[in-house]
Each structure stands twice: as structure tokens, then as C-alpha cells.
Amino acid sequence: MTDIALTPGTRVAVLTGAGVSAASGVPTFRGEGGLWREYRATELATPGAFARDPVLVWEFYEYRRGLVAGCSPNAAHTTLADMARALPVTLITQNVDGLHQAAGSTDVLALHGNLYGIKCSRCSYRIYDRSHPLPQLPPPCPRCGAHLRPDVVWFGEALPQTVLHNAWQAAGECDVFLVVGTSAVVQPAAQLPLVAKGGGATLLEFNLEPTSVSPWCDETILGPAHETLPAWWAAHRP
Ligand code: OAD
């Protein structure tokens, strides 16, 4: 096991993926439960799918909102919120479920947007609204009448630039980088552990299984994150 000594000044950056929310009941993208009706989640999370069938894609996101609304943060989420009260932590997530925020994490760098955010597919209209369902599928933009769409990043779309910039900077400057519950196959998020490694950080991974980033990790801690992460934090907190 990698011997690591955390002090109150140790700069930690964390990248989380769907696996961190698995124990809360949110299905991962590439594991079991990644299907909705006969569709893979990754087939519907595209601008092309929305252009072809906006109702279908809107229904898929309504389904995901409903599913997440019934989920609570688990011990992995609360551990990361606790960690940020003890150390300078930058929490970067690919998840759109809002469970880090619900666990008390603030200033979360949400690379892929937010399930409860809504924006216009044409103009700059944007809102954050948890009060769903909406009467029409998909609802029209109150400003220009075009389709509203979820404020999430779809395949082929650019990530929010400031969020990405801040994530990149935190990865490059941290002392310890934790990769939690992500298959680390989706770019550019998958680069962040390597940016951290290149900057000299210790790289630790928490996953059920080895991933494409494992060869670069100082240690991969196998097991469910809601068990392994609290145990690691309990053993290492300053
Ligand atoms: P994936 O579904 O690709 O990967 C989930 C990872 O979590 C896998 O490596 C699992 O082994 C691991 N895992 C599952 N349960 C776990 C548990 N209880 N504890 C620890 N690890 C567990 O999800 P992401 O890597 O988040 O993007 O996917 C990245 C992006 O691809 C998503 O943000 C989404 C998707 O398409 C967009 O929609 C733009």
C-alpha cells in the first residue's frame, strides 16, 4: 500500500465518475443498468439524438431526473465533503446527478453539467430548476421558442471552458489526486489524472476493477467507493 502522509496543507484534487453514485442507486453508464428502454445512455446523450428525436431525449432526461430525485448521497459523497473541510480539496466530477452538492460539497467543478439545469438549444437562456415534470416535451424556450434541452454536455460538445480550465489547473498543482469510480475513457476528463501525474502528484484510484488509468496510478484500491474511500480517509486524515 502506498504510504502517504496528509497534512492540513496537502492539496488534493478528486475526479469522480458514475461509480461514486452507484451505491446511491444511480446506474453507471457502461455497467449493468446502463440501458433505458432499449437504448444505451451513451446513444441518447448526443446532439444528433436530440436533433432526430427531441421528445425521446427529453423523456430520457425526465426519467433520469426522476430516478436521481429518489437517491441520496452515500458515504463516498459525504467523505469527500468531509475531506474538503479538513484539506484544500478541488472536487471535479463527471456526474450530473448533484449528489456531491447534496452531500455538502461546495464549488464542485461539474465538467458535464447538471441534470437539473435547462438551457435553450438556440439562444443563451439558461435556468436551474428542480421542479419537474414540465407540461410539454420538450418545452419551448420562453425567450425564443426553440426547444429547451438539459444543461448537460453531450458527446461531441465542448465542456464549459472555465470549469475545465480550473480542473486542469487543480490537477496540475495538487499533491494527491484521487480517481474515484470512473472508467476514465471519456475525454478530456480522462486526461486529468495524467496531468496530475505529470505535475508530480501521487495518484490513487478507487474502483471496483482496474481501468485504463490504473497503470499510471501509485495504487488502485479495489472495492465499492462507499466503503473504500471512507476507510482510506479514516486511515489518512491529518
Ligand atoms: P462509467 O459507467 O464509464 O464507469 C463507471 C466506473 O465506475 C467503472 O469503472 C466501474 O468499474 C466503476 N464502479 C461501478 N460501481 C462502483 C462502486 N460502487 N465503487 C467504485 N467504482 C465503481 O462512468 P463514467 O466514467 O462516469 O458523459 O463515465 C464518464 C462519462 O461517460 C459520463 O460522465 C458520461 C458518460 O457518457 C457524458 O454524458 C458526457
Side-chain angles (χ1 to χ4, degrees), residues 17-19 28-30 94 112 153 155 181-183 186 207-209 224-225:
T28 60
F29 285 90
R30 292 171 183 79
Q94 297 164 89
H112 293 166
V153 176
F155 282 102
T182 176
S183 56
V186 174
N207 203 302
L208 291 181
E209 58 191 21

Side-chain angles (χ1 to χ4, degrees), residues 16-24 26-31 34 41-43 45-46 61 64 74 76 93-96 111-113 152-157 159 179-187 189 205-212 221-228:
T16 67
V20 81
S21 296
S24 296
V26 183
T28 60
F29 285 90
R30 292 171 183 79
T42 45
E43 289 166 27
T46 73
Y61 280 92
R64 287 190 70 87
N74 65 59
T93 189
Q94 297 164 89
N95 297 345
V96 297
L111 291 175
H112 293 166
V152 299
V153 176
W154 285 332
F155 282 102
E157 294 185 322
L159 272 61
V179 194
V180 188
T182 176
S183 56
V185 293
V186 174
Q187 299 293 352
E205 180 179 42
F206 297 79
N207 203 302
L208 291 181
E209 58 191 21
T211 70
S212 57
I221 298 165
L222 296 177
H226 72 287
E227 293 176 4
T228 55

Side-chain angles (χ1 to χ4, degrees), residues 91-164:
L91 178 54
I92 308 159
T93 189
Q94 297 164 89
N95 297 345
V96 297
D97 57 30
L99 291 179
H100 284 305
Q101 293 87 338
S105 287
T106 53
D107 302 325
V108 180
L109 297 177
L111 291 175
H112 293 166
N114 193 301
L115 199 50
Y116 294 101
I118 296 171
K119 66 180 181 183
C120 179
S121 56
R122 184 162 61 198
C123 75
S124 60
Y125 180 79
R126 187 176 239 135
I127 52 164
Y128 178 88
D129 187 356
R130 292 183 70 105
S131 60
H132 284 273
L134 295 170
Q136 271 179 277
L137 298 171
C141 172
R143 205 178 282 164
C144 77
H147 286 145
L148 291 180
R149 55 160 281 182
D151 194 357
V152 299
V153 176
W154 285 332
F155 282 102
E157 294 185 322
L159 272 61
Q161 282 309 299
T162 307
V163 173
L164 184 61

